[in-house]
Amino acid sequence: MSTLALQDAQLPIAADDFNELEQRVLRAVELLKAERQARAAAEQNSATLQLLLDEQSTELSRTQDQVRTLEKERDVVRQRVERLLTQLDEITA
């Protein structure tokens, strides 16, 4: 008798073991599906957040430009007021 025939006889797979293996495979498939769905949702969320970030960055640049412009205007007005105050001081002195 060959050793292969003896090994087959010694390793019978019980129906319960096969059912358990089948259930594990099914659970693994379900987990894989759930993880793929979660990954797709995360990627979509990431893309949405990236768009929002890009928009905010553009808005920030515009706001910074406006602040610089307003600061320059404020400096010009300050200089004019100082000149006027100096002229008023000269008149009253």
Side-chain angles (χ1 to χ4, degrees):
M1 191 181 262
S2 74
T3 57
L4 185 58
L6 287 176
Q7 288 177 352
D8 287 342
Q10 292 172 354
L11 299 174
I13 297 179
D16 290 340
D17 291 341
F18 186 76
N19 287 336
E20 184 180 335
L21 178 60
E22 182 181 21
Q23 291 303 315
R24 284 184 180 184
V25 169
L26 291 174
R27 281 194 305 263
V29 168
E30 290 301 317
L31 283 173
L32 183 60
K33 285 180 184 178
E35 290 302 317
R36 285 183 178 168
Q37 288 174 347
R39 181 178 179 178
E43 287 174 352
Q44 178 64 36
N45 191 26
S46 175
T48 301
L49 290 174
Q50 185 62 47
L51 287 174
L52 289 173
L53 178 62
D54 292 343
E55 290 173 5
Q56 291 295 319
S57 294
T58 302
E59 183 64 27
L60 176 62
S61 294
R62 267 191 251 130
T63 303
Q64 287 174 331
D65 290 343
Q66 287 176 345
V67 167
R68 280 191 285 276
T69 300
L70 291 172
E71 286 175 342
K72 288 177 184 177
E73 289 177 8
R74 183 189 67 196
D75 289 341
V76 168
V77 169
R78 181 183 295 143
Q79 290 171 0
R80 290 177 69 188
V81 168
E82 286 176 358
R83 234 181 302 132
L84 288 173
L85 288 174
T86 302
Q87 289 176 355
L88 282 173
D89 283 346
E90 288 175 1
I91 291 175
T92 58

